[in-house]
């Protein structure tokens, strides 16, 4: 794992605002996302990563966990861009049943995904990317985003093209 942010655990203002939004699961038709109001601690993240991979040699320094789905799958900033701030790191999802994927290339793009009515689980599990746009999350993205609004399909495709080996890299960590 690469430590890229010198242990930065300051919660970005955009995520603090996301944490105040109530996501409507709507019996499986809505967004299955429960945002946190702080990052998981380094210890919690390391413990989770070791159990998720079965590899007790790992530490969780490369991840800043900021939310979960209803089954316990986690959304995180993946600190893979050396020297760049947390908001410029990609957003990834690691599900409770082994699902995983890159959701967005940065926090700004992730805000647009949320505005489209999709969460990290929906992006990783489905390829339709048909959500129910949210006026609340659109306004939040308009306040915080530094990237232009694009479709979720474009955001996800671009992010996955930038990090094509994410899933294989995770497989290599598993024991």
């Amino acid at each position: 794992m690469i430590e890229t942010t010198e242990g930065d655990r300051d919660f970005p203002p955009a995520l603090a605002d996301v944490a105040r939004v109530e996501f409507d699961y709507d019996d499986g038709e809505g967004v299955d996302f429960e945002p946190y109001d702080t990052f998981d601690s380094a210890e919690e993240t390391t413990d989770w990563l070791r159990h998720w991979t079965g590899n007790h040699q790992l530490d969780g320094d490369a991840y800043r966990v900021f939310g979960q789905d209803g089954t316990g799958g986690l959304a995180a900033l993946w600190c893979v861009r050396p020297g760049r701030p947390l908001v410029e790191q990609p957003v990834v999802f690691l599900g409770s049943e082994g699902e995983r994927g890159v959701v967005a290339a940065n926090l700004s793009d992730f805000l647009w995904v949320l505005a489209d009515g999709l969460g990290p689980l929906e992006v990783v599990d489905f390829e339709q990317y048909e959500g129910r746009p949210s006026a609340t999350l659109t306004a939040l993205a308009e306040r915080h985003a530094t990237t232009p609004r694009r479709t979720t399909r474009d955001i996800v495709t671009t992010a996955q093209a930038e990090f094509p080996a994410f899933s294989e890299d995770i497989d290599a960590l598993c024991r």
Side-chain angles (χ1 to χ4, degrees):
M1 295 288 152
I2 300 170
E3 176 63 41
T4 61
T5 58
E6 289 87 46
D8 185 4
R9 291 201 169 274
D10 292 336
F11 209 61
L15 285 179
D17 280 357
V18 168
R20 289 190 272 281
V21 174
E22 186 173 328
F23 287 82
D24 184 7
Y25 181 60
D26 192 22
D27 295 321
E29 298 300 316
V31 177
D32 187 2
F33 183 54
E34 301 167 17
Y36 300 164
D37 57 6
T38 62
F39 290 123
D40 275 353
S41 71
E43 295 78 18
E44 288 172 307
T45 302
T46 293
D47 187 55
W48 157 77
L49 185 63
R50 287 176 176 175
H51 284 90
W52 199 87
T53 62
N55 183 343
H56 295 280
Q57 305 295 311
L58 298 176
D59 64 47
D61 286 349
Y63 300 94
R64 302 295 182 274
V65 176
F66 65 86
Q68 68 179 41
D69 71 354
T71 67
L74 300 179
L77 294 172
W78 176 36
C79 302
V80 69
R81 293 180 171 133
R84 306 266 293 274
L86 288 177
V87 297
E88 293 180 16
Q89 304 295 339
V91 174
V92 297
F93 180 76
L94 296 149
S96 63
E97 302 298 319
E99 318 89 327
R100 68 288 192 84
V102 179
V103 176
N106 54 56
L107 182 55
S108 180
D109 283 347
F110 180 66
L111 297 176
W112 292 121
V113 170
L114 294 176
D116 275 352
L118 297 161
L121 170 70
E122 290 82 19
V123 166
V124 170
D125 270 1
F126 307 108
E127 292 187 16
Q128 266 62 16
Y129 307 135
E130 295 174 15
R132 294 183 297 194
S134 163
T136 300
L137 288 163
T138 297
L140 189 151
E142 288 170 345
R143 278 194 314 277
H144 292 285
T146 57
T147 56
R149 185 168 195 164
R150 300 186 328 270
T151 66
T152 294
R153 178 168 305 286
D154 185 38
I155 288 169
V156 173
T157 301
T158 300
Q160 290 176 348
E162 184 176 354
F163 302 102
F166 176 73
S167 188
E168 291 80 17
D169 291 347
I170 293 292
D171 283 343
L173 298 175
C174 294
R175 300 289 177 256

